[in-house]
Amino acid sequence: MSDRLPGFSTLAVHAGAQPDPTTGARATPIYQTTSFVFNDADHAASLFGLQAFGNIYTRIGNPTNAVLEERVAALEGGTAALAVASGHAAQVVVLQQLLQPGDEFIAARKLYGGSINQFTHAFKSFGWNVVWADPDDIASFERAVTPRTKAIFIESIANPAGSITDIEAISTVARKAGVPLIVDNTLASPYLIRPIDHGADIVVHSLTKFLGGHGNSLGGIIVDAGTFDWSTGGKYPMLSEPRPEYHGIRLQETFGNFAFAIACRVLGLRDLGPALSPFNAFMILTGIETLPLRMQKHCDNAKAVAEYLAGHPAVASVSYAGLPSDKYNQLARKYAPKGAGAVFTFSLKGGYDAGVSLVSKLQLFSHLANVGDTRSLVIHPASTTHSQLDDAAKIKSGAGPDVVRISVGIEDKEDLIADLEQALGA
Ligand SMILES: *Cc1c(COP(=O)(O)O)cnc(C)c1O
């Protein structure tokens, strides 16, 4: 064996996987089983007491899911990961380990529309209070810190406009406040940005998007960077205090730099229950094998489409960080030098009605609420994903009435441009 560390594309194909020890199967099998036989009573007791690692029940862990967890942890440069049923489930499980009722977390205002809803409504009912900050104004994060702040949440490439967040600057604020920085890396994928290299303590993904990549399976994942000291100041009792359900062990003391991933599994997933089906784990693993190839093509196509739109007379403006004139281009060059992603917005001179008309005329672009598919997708956020927000909040989150969002697929770019040409011109 050479002692060279494997590169990103090699990890995307191999990390976490071995030929199946009993059958020799080379692709990772789908372990479609709910439960696993114990060797004997002592083995069972040690698994339940967290004294040994092993399979018990698929709500807590499954061998197919374990390959996916190891692979994404390797691609993100984390110590461990936990796969769950969806991106939203990942967010609930993460924050449940960090917040007690009455606590606060600071979130960037530019987020996936579903996350804005989840944070504003569902989390409020748990007593977790979101405080919004502006990712373009780092001082707004500093001003939002209070003694009850337990975490900061941002997107690396932010929905819907594809703006680039200054992860290092916000990680400095988090460090000063003594709270972990959580980065939703869904739109970038680790191929474009590895937030842990820039100071993130926890990375979350909707695997539903670019990692799975084919628009066929929901999933989410939590990656533990292993960087945060959970024992400081008694702020994170789930990690630092004795756990009554596990014979009084303290998770940080016992599991060290992967204690957060363990907490998410043995407290969060075990009790809240959003387990990922092994079938979806298999589909997502297969998608990840081609992540580097797909992601580069997504980015190259997105840049060509953005350049075309920027020159079209019906288009008022294009927000794509990969364009040299874009206000996020500097940050894109620093954080995402291989490409600025494939999700971005543009605005139409004809306003709301032009947006609605465009989505109805496009043929190759599918009009639907998803991103990160091999297929090109389009949506008019003001009439759909962001329709619950009032006008001021729509504009603040980058989803004004004249704004159209696209997720550029991996088709031939000439065909995508021809489709836009007929829809904008007609
Ligand atoms: C889709 C998405 C989510 C939510 O993920 P689901 O898998 O749909 O639950 C969270 N964050 C971002 C950036 C997303 O695009």
Side-chain angles (χ1 to χ4, degrees):
M1 284 284 267
S2 97
D3 51 11
R4 202 190 120 77
L5 287 176
F8 190 90
S9 295
T10 304
L11 292 173
V13 174
H14 290 286
Q18 309 286 332
D20 185 64
T22 47
T23 63
R26 191 63 189 86
T28 297
I30 303 171
Y31 288 93
Q32 190 67 23
T33 180
T34 54
S35 31
F36 302 85
V37 176
F38 306 122
N39 301 342
D40 53 39
D42 284 347
H43 178 225
S46 68
L47 289 175
F48 274 92
L50 299 182
Q51 282 112 16
F53 289 108
N55 298 306
I56 300 175
Y57 186 65
T58 285
R59 170 152 44 73
I60 305 165
N62 174 282
T64 311
N65 300 19
V67 176
L68 173 63
E69 288 158 351
E70 230 184 282
R71 187 160 305 171
V72 177
L75 294 176
E76 287 286 7
T79 53
L82 175 71
V84 292
S86 68
H88 267 14
Q91 294 170 185
V92 180
V93 169
V94 162
L95 289 175
Q96 193 223 3
Q97 310 321 309
L98 304 178
L99 273 72
Q100 306 292 316
D103 283 344
E104 296 170 4
F105 69 108
I106 302 169
R109 191 187 296 294
K110 285 186 183 154
L111 288 187
Y112 175 67
S115 299
I116 295 178
N117 279 335
Q118 185 190 42
F119 293 179
T120 307
H121 303 294
F123 287 1
K124 190 168 182 200
S125 75
F126 304 162
W128 306 343
N129 300 311
V130 61
V131 180
W132 300 106
D134 177 357
D136 298 333
D137 173 13
I138 303 302
S140 70
F141 284 83
E142 268 172 282
R143 285 195 302 272
V145 174
T146 77
R148 299 223 68 157
T149 305
K150 294 297 175 71
I152 297 180
F153 187 103
I154 60 175
E155 290 179 359
S156 52
I157 298 183
N159 239 301
S163 47
I164 311 283
T165 307
D166 192 347
I167 303 170
E168 287 173 15
I170 297 173
S171 106
T172 303
V173 177
R175 211 132 285 170
K176 235 167 83 188
V179 303
L181 175 64
I182 306 163
V183 178
D184 180 340
N185 199 32
T186 300
L187 292 194
S189 89
Y191 175 73
L192 296 178
I193 301 179
R194 299 209 320 164
I196 293 171
D197 295 346
H198 302 289
D201 300 294
I202 298 161
V203 174
V204 292
H205 278 279
S206 169
L207 297 169
T208 318
K209 314 296 170 51
F210 291 101
L211 282 164
H214 295 72
N216 57 28
S217 307
L218 260 89
I221 203 158
I222 300 157
V223 182
D224 184 351
T227 44
F228 197 83
D229 179 1
W230 304 105
S231 63
T232 44
K235 263 160 88 171
Y236 301 99
M238 298 282 272
L239 288 124
S240 65
E241 297 310 303
R243 293 307 312 175
E245 64 270 70
Y246 292 113
H247 309 300
I249 68 168
R250 298 169 195 263
L251 294 180
Q252 161 140 44
E253 196 178 276
T254 308
F255 297 104
N257 70 358
F258 58 100
F260 187 75
I262 294 279
C264 287
R265 185 187 303 281
V266 306
L267 304 177
L269 185 57
R270 184 198 64 169
D271 291 354
L272 299 175
L276 178 68
S277 109
F279 181 83
N280 280 14
F282 171 84
M283 295 299 284
I284 293 162
L285 267 173
T286 304
I288 289 174
E289 292 179 9
T290 57
L291 175 71
L293 300 171
R294 284 186 289 105
M295 216 56 212
Q296 194 61 58
K297 176 90 172 174
H298 277 296
C299 289
D300 297 347
N301 278 358
K303 183 145 193 273
V305 168
E307 282 165 356
Y308 162 78
L309 288 169
H312 196 286
V315 174
S317 64
V318 177
S319 297
Y320 183 60
L323 294 177
S325 57
D326 192 82
K327 76 186 245 211
Y328 298 100
N329 191 250
Q330 203 82 10
L331 288 170
R333 282 169 197 273
K334 170 172 178 176
Y335 287 103
K338 293 200 281 278
V343 177
F344 67 91
T345 57
F346 55 99
S347 71
L348 293 165
K349 290 181 184 158
Y352 188 94
D353 295 338
V356 171
S357 155
L358 177 70
V359 295
S360 69
K361 285 184 184 146
L362 284 166
Q363 289 163 0
L364 196 52
F365 282 80
S366 302
H367 178 205
L368 52 72
N370 191 22
V371 295
D373 194 318
T374 49
R375 288 154 279 258
S376 289
L377 315 173
V378 63
I379 201 159
H380 178 230
S383 59
T384 55
T385 52
H386 289 63
S387 61
Q388 300 90 339
L389 305 180
D390 61 40
D391 282 349
K394 275 184 187 129
I395 290 167
K396 268 190 185 157
S397 65
D402 52 340
V403 171
V404 173
R405 184 188 75 185
I406 55 176
S407 174
V408 180
I410 60 173
E411 302 95 335
D412 288 308
K413 61 177 187 284
E414 295 79 8
D415 293 330
L416 299 175
I417 289 170
D419 193 29
L420 286 161
E421 180 82 13
Q422 66 77 19
L424 283 168

